[in-house]
Amino acid sequence: FDEYAIPTQKQLENAASYTVIAQNGIRVPFGDLFRDKRAIVIFIRHFWCPMCQDYMYSIARTVNPEALSRAGVNLIIIGNGSPAMIKSYRHIFRTPFELYVDPTHRVYNSLGMTLRTTHPGPDHERGDYVRHGLFGGIAMVVRNALRVGMPVWEKSGDAAQLGGEFILGPGFTCSYAHRMRHTRSHAPIVEVLDAAGVPTYTLRSVQSHDDEERWMTRRRRSLDRMQAKREKRR
C-alpha cells in the first residue's frame, strides 16, 4: 500500500477493464469514464458513512460545475454498495455529478486501495471536511435517510473498504493519486481541484448542522428553479 503512488500503466489498464454500475443498473467499463476526457474520480466508503457524507457536503459547497466544464474536466463518484442506493444518495446532496458503484471492489483494488480498516485515525490527521463526531454523524445520516427515503434494505457497501481520489485520463494516464489511510482521510477537495487545474468557488461557509440544512434547502430550491427555467425554454 502506498498512499500517493501513481498507478502504473498495467494497473490503469486492469482497472479500466472492469465494469462499474450506474443508477439504472447498466454496467459501464470503468475506462470509458476517462477514455476521452480528464476526470476527477472520487472513491467513497459505504453509503451510510457519516464522514463520507461530510465529504460529499464539502464537494457540494466547493465544486462549481461550470468551472469544471470550462476546464474540460468531469467529476465522478464511485461507491461500493448497491446501485439501488445511488438515486437517494445523490438526492441528499443534489449532486449533478455522475455516481457509480463497484460492489466487487475490483476497481478499488486495481488502483491500490487495498488498505482495509474501520479505524478513524488520529485526530490530528482528521480531514477538515469532517464536521460531525460519532453520535452527531449517525444522527445526520439517519436524518438524511429519512428525508430522502434511503432504501435501508439495500447493501450500503463494505464498512472496511477505504476510498481515495484520482485524476485520470484522457486514456490510460493518471496525474494525481491519493488513497485513504483511515476513515477520515479523504484528500481536501480544494487540493484535488487545484491539481486538476479547476478554480474553486466556495458557495458558503457552513458552521453548524442547522446552517447546513438551511443552505442545502436553499440550494435545492435554486437548482429546482434552474431546472424549471430549462424546461420552460425547451
Side-chain angles (χ1 to χ4, degrees):
F1 176 83
D2 188 320
E3 186 175 0
Y4 295 104
I6 297 295
T8 65
Q9 186 79 11
K10 182 63 174 177
Q11 285 178 305
L12 289 171
E13 291 176 0
N14 285 341
S17 69
Y18 295 123
T19 58
V20 291
I21 308 174
Q23 178 178 317
N24 57 9
I26 293 178
R27 294 179 179 273
V28 179
F30 179 63
D32 285 3
L33 304 183
F34 54 91
R35 180 181 56 196
D36 303 317
K37 190 174 182 180
R38 197 161 41 134
I40 295 171
V41 186
I42 295 170
F43 293 83
I44 60 173
R45 301 178 63 241
H46 59 95
F47 286 125
W48 297 121
C49 174
M51 287 78 74
C52 284
Q53 291 201 14
D54 276 344
Y55 193 60
M56 289 294 297
Y57 276 121
S58 77
I59 291 172
R61 291 193 301 269
T62 306
V63 181
N64 183 350
E66 293 182 358
L68 279 174
S69 179
R70 287 193 296 269
V73 178
N74 285 336
L75 192 148
I76 298 161
I77 298 159
I78 309 287
N80 64 85
S82 166
M85 300 283 281
I86 293 176
K87 181 178 180 180
S88 52
Y89 195 78
R90 291 187 68 195
H91 189 60
I92 291 172
F93 313 101
R94 285 284 180 157
T95 178
F97 307 120
E98 299 174 60
L99 205 159
Y100 301 86
V101 293
D102 171 30
T104 65
H105 304 177
R106 289 175 177 172
V107 177
Y108 282 79
N109 291 334
S110 294
L111 293 177
M113 288 170 281
T114 55
L115 182 62
R116 293 173 52 80
T117 183
T118 57
H119 195 280
D123 284 342
H124 71 273
E125 293 184 11
R126 180 183 66 183
D128 290 341
Y129 63 89
V130 178
R131 307 189 61 81
H132 297 87
L134 175 60
F135 297 109
I138 292 172
M140 174 193 64
V141 169
V142 171
R143 283 193 296 266
N144 286 340
L146 293 174
R147 177 165 57 83
V148 302
M150 288 280 278
V152 296
W153 56 89
E154 296 287 352
K155 185 176 180 181
S156 66
D158 186 340
Q161 177 65 61
L162 299 179
E165 302 78 35
F166 297 81
I167 300 174
L168 304 174
F172 298 139
T173 62
C174 177
S175 57
Y176 176 93
H178 170 260
R179 301 163 186 85
M180 299 173 71
R181 297 186 62 86
H182 49 75
T183 62
R184 303 185 295 181
S185 63
H186 276 292
I189 189 59
V190 172
E191 174 185 304
V192 182
L193 291 168
D194 183 62
V198 179
T200 58
Y201 172 62
T202 302
L203 295 176
R204 81 183 295 265
S205 176
V206 179
Q207 300 299 324
S208 69
H209 176 76
D210 289 341
D211 289 339
E212 190 172 81
E213 286 295 311
R214 286 192 291 270
W215 175 82
M216 288 299 293
T217 298
R218 286 195 292 270
R219 183 171 187 266
R220 284 192 290 270
R221 290 172 179 168
S222 176
L223 290 171
D224 287 342
R225 286 195 296 270
M226 292 170 60
Q227 180 65 27
K229 289 178 180 178
R230 284 195 292 265
E231 292 296 331
K232 187 176 181 180
R233 286 197 294 270
R234 292 196 190 102

